[in-house]
Amino acid sequence: MDEVFVECEKLDHFGRGLCHVSGKIMFVPNLLPLEKAFVRVISDKRKYMIGEVVRLVKKSDDRIEAKCGLVNCGCAIKAMNYDKTLEFKKNKVTEILKKYSGLDGVIKEIIPSENVYFYRNKITLKVKDGKIGYFKNDSNELIEVKKCFLASEKINKIIGILKELDLSKVKEIVIKDFDEVMIIIDGIMDIELLKECAGSIYMEGKLVYGKEFIIAKLGKFKFYVSKDAFFQVNLEVALKLYNKVLEYLGKSNSVLDLYCGTGTISIFLSKYFESVIGVEINEEAIKCANLNKDLNGINNVRFICGDVSKEIHYLKVQVDSIVMDPPRSGLTKSGIEDILKISPKKMVYVSCDPMTLARDLRLLSSDYEVKEVTLFDMFPWTYHVESVVLCVKK
Ligand SMILES: C[S@@+](CC[C@H](N)C(=O)[O-])C[C@H]1O[C@@H](n2cnc3c(N)ncnc32)[C@H](O)[C@@H]1O
């Protein structure tokens, strides 16, 4: 069975078209609901198949001309009308919260990104055989990139320069653009031509040009951005998300900011709380967080470097509220037990993975009621979505 005719029933949670072929599920990237197509079977597993569109026979009214022709690069829903991508993300989180934590009618809205193109301030480029691009989803096959419509204009300019250079001894290049630019090179190359567009260049882990940190501006605050510490990739949406965290927490005395990164949420909240404690595992992020306190003249925030699951077990503090923004893996079981013992009046859970969010909310539901969820389209054209959840003590 090399080529088959399919009709797309809906999108799966990864933005792929879901079809059935002889009773078996088939996932087809870049196929929209109700579209019909001839599809090549590129993988046939025991429980499902993966297909690739050969010829589209019936087009969806929601289909748009994608800005770039790259396939399987990470922008799973770039050929869908933007409003429909928002609807897809809202439906997806609604479905997951209902199925895995029994929550219904809690999602208030999804906040769009004003900039739907050129919004990313950071990209990671892979280099193979001297060529630069992204790895195809779940493989190390390189898709060459000339221009990426997600990355900032300045990053695209740098991609243009990199393409002219000898990258034969390079594996990966990370570019961060916060007006000031940082380039992090895994490998060895001539950096002379990069110097005029970068404020900081690292090669093989060492600073070889410019400053150790670059500065990002977010609202009224400034933050140090470093080589390895996490920083939000879409600042316009991040600012709206932080304001929602503040709105959900309301006024109270003390707050614990778990998984605080470089302390952005802690510092953002510091004006409205008597005391803030941030916990983060990455030493470089905590170094930035402490510098960020001084940079913004903040003195009611304390940062602790360590694993949240261990630190909160021994943390002898009473806090009114907790904000937590864990990585995709979500909270740990022991972490949840300790959070329940701390027993804050309110919690705000910021999540980049609705599946682990749903799992954790179910475990927290013995003591906490989910009052409201707001979604943020931090990553337009991808299947990813950020959720901000207000939980109140029962
Ligand atoms: C999604 S980021 C959130 C950062 C921050 N809230 C912000 O808005 O910039 C998650 C952070 O959790 C940190 N992290 C991951 N595992 C951790 C753990 N077990 N304990 C503490 N921090 C952890 C990561 O280093 C990362 O900085």
Side-chain angles (χ1 to χ4, degrees):
M1 187 178 22
D2 287 335
E3 224 175 80
V4 287
F5 181 74
V6 296
E7 176 164 7
C8 175
E9 294 152 37
K10 59 176 193 168
L11 293 186
D12 76 345
H13 291 162
F14 303 102
R16 301 173 298 184
L18 191 146
C19 317
H20 277 89
V21 177
S22 314
K24 198 168 178 180
I25 287 180
M26 181 188 260
F27 300 109
V28 185
N30 196 23
L31 192 65
L32 302 182
L34 303 182
E35 284 189 334
K36 294 178 184 174
F38 283 101
V39 163
R40 184 180 308 122
V41 181
I42 53 169
S43 163
D44 191 353
K45 306 259 192 254
R46 202 165 59 85
K47 289 196 172 160
Y48 66 90
M49 292 187 271
I50 305 279
E52 187 178 69
V53 176
V54 178
R55 189 157 43 92
L56 201 54
V57 177
K58 187 181 164 223
K59 233 184 193 184
S60 161
D61 291 343
D62 300 332
R63 180 168 284 278
I64 58 163
E65 188 75 43
K67 285 266 184 193
C68 80
L70 300 183
V71 179
N72 284 328
C73 62
C75 289
I77 47 175
K78 67 180 160 195
M80 189 151 95
N81 170 311
Y82 183 62
D83 286 344
K84 289 285 170 184
T85 69
L86 296 177
E87 205 177 293
F88 156 73
K89 292 182 188 194
K90 192 172 174 208
N91 290 342
K92 163 177 149 168
V93 184
T94 302
E95 212 174 281
I96 291 173
L97 290 185
K98 190 165 183 187
K99 187 164 177 190
Y100 299 102
S101 47
L103 291 163
D104 207 2
V106 286
I107 299 179
K108 189 179 165 217
E109 58 184 330
I110 177 160
I111 307 290
S113 179
E114 262 161 48
N115 311 312
V116 294
Y117 297 112
F118 309 116
Y119 63 84
R120 277 194 78 98
N121 55 40
K122 177 195 164 187
I123 61 164
T124 302
L125 295 159
K126 300 289 179 188
V127 185
K128 207 172 165 189
D129 304 326
K131 293 204 168 73
I132 196 161
Y134 299 128
F135 277 163
K136 237 180 180 177
N137 295 339
D138 308 320
S139 87
N140 59 0
E141 191 185 322
L142 190 94
I143 322 171
E144 223 187 322
V145 171
K146 292 194 178 77
K147 178 168 184 170
C148 173
F149 284 86
L150 300 201
S152 74
E153 304 268 13
K154 219 185 265 178
I155 291 178
N156 274 297
K157 198 176 144 211
I158 297 169
I159 294 177
I161 298 173
L162 286 168
K163 288 184 86 64
E164 300 301 315
L165 301 177
D166 176 6
L167 303 176
S168 56
K169 296 195 181 88
V170 176
K171 278 208 294 223
E172 187 182 280
I173 301 177
V174 176
I175 310 172
K176 301 188 183 188
D177 166 23
F178 292 88
D179 290 337
E180 290 187 294
V181 168
M182 180 181 275
I183 303 177
I184 304 152
I185 302 158
D186 179 4
I188 298 169
M189 63 178 286
D190 182 355
I191 59 163
E192 268 322 295
L193 282 178
L194 295 175
K195 285 182 180 170
E196 53 185 80
C197 47
S200 164
I201 304 178
Y202 284 84
M203 201 149 63
E204 301 234 276
K206 291 193 185 67
L207 182 68
V208 288
Y209 175 75
K211 306 184 285 185
E212 183 180 1
F213 305 110
I214 53 171
I215 302 272
K217 294 189 195 93
L218 192 54
K220 287 177 284 181
F221 301 103
K222 286 182 181 169
F223 297 99
Y224 283 103
V225 173
S226 70
K227 181 168 73 67
D228 291 324
F230 173 90
F231 210 88
Q232 300 285 354
V233 298
N234 179 342
L235 292 192
E236 172 235 316
V237 177
L239 190 59
K240 289 179 186 159
L241 186 152
Y242 287 1
N243 274 310
K244 183 56 74 177
V245 170
L246 187 60
E247 180 198 315
Y248 276 173
L249 285 177
K251 280 219 160 151
S252 60
N253 291 329
S254 47
V255 61
L256 196 52
D257 176 11
L258 302 178
Y259 307 90
C260 69
T262 56
T264 43
I265 294 182
S266 296
I267 288 172
F268 210 77
L269 297 176
S270 61
K271 208 174 129 197
Y272 306 91
F273 290 81
E274 267 169 35
S275 68
V276 185
I277 300 172
V279 184
E280 161 67 43
I281 202 164
N282 182 317
E283 281 179 31
E284 194 179 295
I286 285 292
K287 184 177 171 188
C288 287
N290 283 313
L291 288 169
N292 288 336
K293 253 180 13 182
D294 298 341
L295 188 64
N296 294 287
I298 308 288
N299 51 26
N300 59 342
V301 179
R302 177 160 72 94
F303 291 112
I304 298 170
C305 187
D307 183 339
V308 161
S309 304
K310 295 194 181 111
E311 296 299 331
I312 56 167
H313 189 68
Y314 299 107
L315 203 61
K316 296 273 178 285
V317 286
Q318 284 297 314
V319 286
D320 307 316
S321 39
I322 292 182
V323 50
M324 49 218 173
D325 183 6
R328 303 193 70 74
S329 50
L331 304 173
T332 60
K333 260 199 166 163
S334 71
I336 290 177
E337 280 163 21
D338 285 313
I339 287 170
L340 291 174
K341 274 186 208 141
I342 295 173
S343 187
K345 286 192 213 104
K346 271 187 183 179
M347 290 194 298
V348 175
Y349 191 144
V350 181
S351 162
C352 55
D353 186 338
M355 288 298 280
T356 54
L357 171 70
R359 177 200 67 197
D360 295 344
L361 290 178
R362 191 168 42 78
L363 293 172
L364 290 164
S365 68
S366 56
D367 296 24
Y368 287 87
E369 184 189 348
V370 170
K371 283 285 183 196
E372 191 175 289
V373 180
T374 301
L375 307 179
F376 290 84
D377 192 25
M378 186 81 89
F379 316 98
W381 312 114
T382 74
Y383 62 78
H384 295 287
V385 58
E386 289 275 320
S387 308
V388 179
V389 183
L390 169 63
C391 307
V392 175
K393 187 124 197 334
K394 284 180 179 169

